[in-house]
Amino acid sequence: MLNFIKGILIGVALVIPGLSGSIFAVVVGLYDQLIEAVSELRREPRRHLLFLLPIAAGAVLGVLLSTKLTLVVTARWPLASYAFFIGLMLGAAPFIRRKMALVRWRPQYLLLTVLGFGVIYGLAQLGGASSTELVTIARLSRIQDAGMMAFAGLFSVSLMAIPGVSGAIMLMVINQYGTVYNAVSQLGDAARALLRGNWAAMGTALQSSALLIPFMVGALIGLLAIAKLMRWLLHRFEGQVYYAVCGVVLAAVVILIQTGLTPHWPSGWLAPIALCLISAGVGIAATLVLDKPE
């Protein structure tokens, strides 16, 4: 159940531009185990599937529930919601510090932190704000559409497996964010049409949702490929990897401040600061609780 809840958080992070599902896997203490399970899936399928299934189910539910809801919430209450996300990030500090302590500190490791910050912050600048609204492919009607969706899945998910890289931002870079999340939202429309007995509307919605099939095929290929690389790095350079992750988390916090807090900051100071501190405190507490399965 706890892994299912953590999966929901990861799924929510997949939807919001600037947030990273992989860094949320780090935040809730699952990243190393996820990479290990995906890499070793063929060797011990039953054991690893029992671990992966509740997380995957939670992530799918998180995406389905939050595709519209989270974007509405962040638009309506941006200060509270983005401050909460920032708190979730900051709450991972003790976990990351424990990982960094696995290697003896050296000044040159700070370069990894700077590199992690620079790469993630730079990638975040590539996605245009208008890309969230753009639907380039409305339904699966040609083989080229399937090929584009498979590439989008391969590109976004393989990079998203690197801690801190936002899959949503990567979809924006190739102008497919609106297409993918429109297809996800159509699943809900298809379900509602089914309950009403409106077969024509359900068929139209399913045509859009069918775009997710080649997307998931590409995503699976990308995840399997990058998981082996990340597993190799974590086995040999775990402490150094988390020095880079520290920079990634700092970049994520800065990105969330720029995209979520700064544009919506009101004229006053006292009330917004109090709201943000309370929301961030709740986020920090949530991460600290999720980091302790007992």
Side-chain angles (χ1 to χ4, degrees):
M1 182 58 69
L2 186 63
N3 282 349
F4 178 74
I5 294 170
K6 292 179 177 183
I8 291 175
L9 280 177
I10 293 170
V12 171
L14 295 175
V15 175
I16 302 172
L19 288 184
S20 164
S22 54
I23 201 63
F24 262 59
V26 171
V27 164
V28 297
L30 285 179
Y31 182 77
D32 300 26
Q33 298 163 273
L34 280 171
I35 291 296
E36 183 77 20
V38 172
S39 300
E40 296 295 317
L41 188 57
R42 291 179 60 188
R43 187 170 300 179
E44 296 180 84
R46 187 175 183 277
R47 181 168 74 89
H48 292 309
L49 279 174
L50 287 174
F51 170 71
L52 290 171
L53 281 176
I55 301 170
V60 170
L61 181 62
V63 169
L64 292 175
L65 291 177
S66 65
T67 297
K68 290 182 178 178
L69 178 61
T70 304
L71 296 179
V72 168
V73 169
T74 53
R76 186 167 296 180
W77 300 287
L79 295 185
S81 54
Y82 278 96
F84 175 73
F85 297 142
I86 290 169
L88 288 174
M89 294 288 187
L90 295 177
F95 172 81
I96 295 172
R97 182 179 56 80
R98 291 197 301 270
K99 293 290 188 179
M100 291 166 64
L102 294 173
V103 293
R104 187 176 179 180
W105 184 80
R106 294 181 181 178
Q108 56 265 38
Y109 289 161
L110 291 178
L111 294 175
L112 294 172
T113 304
V114 173
L115 179 64
F117 182 95
V119 169
I120 301 306
Y121 187 79
L123 286 173
Q125 309 312 306
L126 296 177
S130 61
S131 300
T132 59
E133 306 291 335
L134 181 63
V135 178
T136 59
I137 305 173
R139 60 184 56 86
L140 189 62
S141 56
R142 302 178 303 165
I143 190 67
Q144 293 93 326
D145 298 336
M148 185 66 233
M149 286 296 97
F151 171 73
L154 176 68
F155 177 78
S156 61
V157 174
S158 60
L159 289 176
M160 186 186 67
I162 301 170
V165 175
S166 168
I169 292 292
M170 294 302 99
L171 286 173
M172 285 183 183
V173 170
I174 57 175
N175 287 323
Q176 296 303 330
Y177 178 91
T179 298
V180 171
Y181 287 106
N182 176 66
V184 172
S185 68
Q186 290 299 311
L187 289 172
D189 294 343
R192 286 189 290 272
L194 175 63
L195 292 174
R196 293 195 303 266
N198 189 339
W199 306 111
M202 187 184 77
T204 302
L206 288 177
Q207 279 186 317
S208 294
S209 298
L211 290 166
L212 296 173
I213 297 173
F215 179 85
M216 288 187 291
V217 171
L220 181 61
I221 295 171
L223 181 61
L224 291 173
I226 199 68
K228 291 191 177 294
L229 171 61
M230 294 309 301
R231 178 172 176 267
W232 182 84
L233 287 172
L234 287 169
H235 273 207
R236 288 163 175 78
F237 309 104
E238 186 174 13
Q240 291 90 332
V241 166
Y242 277 91
Y243 269 94
V245 168
C246 179
V248 163
V249 170
L250 292 174
V253 169
V254 172
I255 291 166
L256 289 172
I257 290 172
Q258 289 183 337
T259 59
L261 298 185
T262 304
H264 303 97
W265 198 265
S267 56
W269 281 92
L270 188 58
I273 288 175
L275 175 63
C276 289
L277 288 176
I278 292 170
S279 299
V282 173
I284 291 170
T287 298
L288 293 176
V289 169
L290 289 170
D291 190 29
K292 294 178 173 59
E294 68 275 12

